[in-house]
Amino acid sequence: MNDLSKLYINGQWEDWTGDTLDVHEAATGEVMAKVPAAGRDEMERAIAAAHAAFDSWSESTLEQRTKVLEQLLDGLKARADEIAETVSREVGMPLKLAGQIQAGMPILTTQSYLKLLPEFAFSERVGNSEVQYAPVGVVGCITPWNYPLHQVMLKIVPAIAAGCTVVLKPSEIAPGTAFILADILDQTDLPKGVFNMVCGLGQTAGDTLIKHPQVNMVSFTGSTRTGHLIAHAAADDFKRYALEMGGKSASVILPDADLKAAVKGTVNNCLLNSGQTCTALTRMLVPASQHDEACELAAEAVAKMTPGNPLEETTRLGPLASAQQRDKVFDYIRLGQEEGATLVAGGAGAPDGLEQGYFAKATVFGNVKPDSRLAQEEIFGPVLCVIPYADEAEAIRIANGTAYGLSGAVWSGDADKAKKIAGKLRTGQVFVNGGAFNPQAPFGGFGHSGVGREFGKWGLEEFLEVRSLQL
Ligand code: NAD
């Protein structure tokens, strides 16, 4: 891996000689890189650079913004293999899948904004008024480890396209691709100071970013706990904020569904990226009469998820990103047993022969009580809860019965009925009978899952303020 001991401030790579943070390879636990543990001073310099660059970039033309995004797209394509391997090693996602998702989604996001930008109306006429959509200002972007470049791209591409300037604080657990991104942007025509990247801990570098008076908006993806801190800090200064947070999403399987296909679809979704996915369908709701059969099918499906080093071709289930995350998953599995759920597959501990690194077994619990902690709290690991329900009304009540509302699924032999039930779920997106993920559609959460939306025009509007001229 490249030398990551640098900061990217005001269009310059700066050497860093202070404290560093270790980045671990998920499959081995070994240190694969060291990144700066930058603090308040460095963050303040990055914010000052973004502030100074704003006036000019906010008045950049559509052609200038488009050109930079095209150059960014070329760089992402050229370095796709490096991006996939970096995330695979840091986070644990199998390499082939990382190529499709971790390297593929940033390309798709850039392409989608290149298409949207010329179509988007930055002003419109309403009676005797001209309504203008103006860039919000300096944006602080704070991101987590699980889809480390994808989550950054959903912020910086629309922010730059909107005419904002940016300071990025990437995850300290999986920061490698933020350095690749800074390197790519450094080669483009983006003026100095429009994009800055400072790696450091949340409590210091992140804290400075969310509280600084020259930061006009914070765009955050991460845990609900940190999102809460950000909302409080933003309130002090009336900063704008967008929050993409946790989830505990339900897959509602109706009695007339193709049970085998629905269970397979749910298990595959739940175990994607070893369960380190905010939208993971971690609660599978099944008619009580089909509970045991659904558990058997789920156990068969997880048995096919061969665990191993994510760089090996046969691997379908990689490790978790950190020792802390693995231990948290083990604790939840033990808790599930204490709470009286039935362990159907897996259990606490690493799969045989994979004791090194941060591996956890794909685990299925049956007869999970809807109000138990196992069914209510985000685990962020390969753990599926099967919850029996008596009737449709109870299924909807259970599906909506957590503080979260990020994603969901409904499965039925009757497409109209599936859509009707999907419309009752208090959640930002619902997959109806296995409908495909759509990067043009808005993405975000109800309740404790989020505030605001990413992707498409909704993602661009997050970074725009509205001004109306009375003419
Ligand atoms: P986290 O909240 O611990 O960290 C996210 C980022 O916030 C990191 O960069 C971290 O350094 C920073 N941070 C931590 N404390 C901070 C503070 N006091 N001030 C400012 N910044 C601070 O989250 P994580 O553990 O890295 O990621 C996992 C979580 O992210 C899960 O809850 C998951 O559901 C969520 N997530 C949500 C989405 C979504 O789109 N809704 C997508 C991916 C992940």
Side-chain angles (χ1 to χ4, degrees):
M1 176 169 276
N2 298 335
D3 176 14
L4 303 188
S5 60
K6 288 184 192 300
L7 307 171
Y8 188 72
I9 299 177
N10 205 23
Q12 300 263 319
W13 282 109
E14 293 184 6
D15 287 331
W16 172 256
T17 52
D19 290 348
T20 56
L21 302 165
D22 291 342
V23 181
H24 296 266
E25 175 141 4
T28 62
E30 281 163 15
V31 175
M32 61 186 271
K34 287 178 183 289
V35 293
R40 299 191 186 276
D41 292 352
E42 298 70 40
M43 190 51 92
E44 281 175 4
R45 281 196 296 110
I47 294 166
H51 181 71
F54 177 70
D55 280 352
S56 166
W57 185 248
S58 65
E59 294 190 350
S60 56
T61 61
L62 189 64
E63 288 70 34
Q64 279 173 291
R65 296 179 197 179
T66 302
K67 187 168 180 210
V68 167
L69 293 191
E70 281 168 349
Q71 291 168 328
L72 169 61
L73 180 62
D74 290 344
L76 290 168
K77 285 180 178 167
R79 296 181 74 171
D81 288 348
E82 191 189 344
I83 290 167
E85 190 187 326
T86 302
V87 181
S88 192
R89 291 177 65 198
E90 288 177 342
V91 178
M93 180 182 268
L95 184 60
K96 193 169 164 209
L97 208 54
Q100 291 161 3
I101 300 176
Q102 306 274 10
M105 285 306 295
I107 290 173
L108 275 182
T109 299
T110 312
Q111 285 169 330
S112 89
Y113 281 103
L114 271 166
K115 183 168 179 296
L116 182 74
L117 203 48
E119 295 164 2
F120 189 82
F122 281 91
S123 71
E124 62 183 310
R125 191 81 190 198
V126 180
N128 69 319
S129 302
E130 183 179 299
V131 180
Q132 300 179 339
Y133 297 92
V136 75
V138 174
V139 182
C141 299
I142 301 183
T143 50
W145 84 73
N146 53 337
Y147 292 83
L149 184 58
H150 167 59
Q151 287 142 347
V152 168
M153 297 300 287
L154 283 176
K155 303 182 184 319
I156 67 123
V157 174
I160 289 174
C164 296
T165 58
V166 170
V167 178
L168 167 65
K169 197 215 77 66
S171 162
E172 57 276 30
I173 295 169
T177 51
F179 286 79
I180 298 175
L181 173 67
D183 212 21
I184 293 173
L185 285 171
D186 188 52
Q187 314 286 315
T188 68
D189 290 343
L190 195 67
K192 65 178 186 162
V194 177
F195 172 81
N196 306 271
M197 193 272 295
V198 175
C199 205
L201 289 172
Q203 304 91 291
T204 47
D207 186 71
T208 307
L209 192 55
I210 65 176
K211 293 180 179 160
H212 199 286
Q214 284 180 337
V215 173
N216 305 97
M217 171 175 174
V218 178
S219 178
F220 168 77
T221 302
S223 65
T224 298
R225 174 183 42 78
T226 309
H228 205 245
L229 286 175
I230 289 173
H232 273 272
D236 278 344
D237 201 21
F238 298 106
K239 274 191 208 329
R240 174 101 62 104
Y241 56 84
L243 307 173
E244 297 289 348
M245 303 183 287
K248 192 75 187 181
S249 300
S251 176
V252 181
I253 303 180
L254 296 174
D256 64 351
D258 174 344
L259 187 64
K260 202 168 171 188
V263 171
K264 189 175 163 207
T266 305
V267 169
N268 286 344
N269 179 296
C270 175
L271 299 186
L272 179 69
N273 204 20
S274 305
Q276 304 171 111
T277 301
C278 50
T279 52
L281 300 170
T282 49
R283 295 182 299 146
M284 187 165 81
L285 277 47
V286 295
S289 61
Q290 296 176 353
H291 171 269
D292 293 354
E293 192 187 350
C295 284
E296 273 172 39
L297 289 168
E300 281 169 26
V302 299
K304 292 187 185 144
M305 301 294 292
T306 316
N309 188 310
L311 300 178
E312 282 164 19
E313 236 174 80
T314 48
T315 297
R316 291 198 56 202
L317 188 76
L320 297 159
S322 69
Q324 192 192 10
Q325 189 58 28
R326 175 203 55 197
D327 294 345
K328 179 178 154 191
V329 169
F330 291 168
D331 285 347
Y332 269 111
I333 295 172
R334 290 186 200 104
L335 174 75
Q337 290 175 288
E338 283 159 28
E339 286 183 330
T342 313
L343 188 64
V344 174
D352 288 344
L354 292 170
E355 289 75 17
Q356 236 206 330
Y358 311 135
F359 291 91
K361 288 182 206 154
T363 297
V364 179
F365 279 105
N367 283 312
V368 179
K369 294 188 190 73
D371 294 333
S372 63
R373 283 184 58 202
L374 193 70
Q376 289 288 321
E377 297 177 16
E378 185 183 52
I379 300 172
F380 227 53
V383 182
L384 178 70
C385 299
V386 186
I387 305 177
Y389 66 81
D391 56 27
E392 210 172 280
E394 190 184 26
I396 294 164
R397 215 167 35 245
I398 296 171
N400 290 334
T402 75
Y404 296 110
L406 190 57
S407 187
V410 179
W411 307 81
S412 168
D414 176 343
D416 289 339
K417 185 168 183 188
K419 201 172 146 196
K420 190 166 148 239
I421 304 289
K424 293 179 188 290
L425 299 192
R426 304 278 305 155
T427 179
Q429 59 172 335
V430 187
F431 294 88
V432 180
N433 280 333
F437 183 78
N438 178 3
Q440 314 283 336
F443 178 93
F446 285 31
H448 287 204
S449 288
V451 176
R453 292 292 178 270
E454 294 189 322
F455 282 108
K457 76 177 170 83
W458 300 270
L460 187 62
E461 283 165 358
E462 290 292 339
F463 298 102
L464 295 169
E465 279 285 11
V466 184
R467 177 197 297 129
S468 98
L469 308 187
Q470 273 52 257
L471 303 172

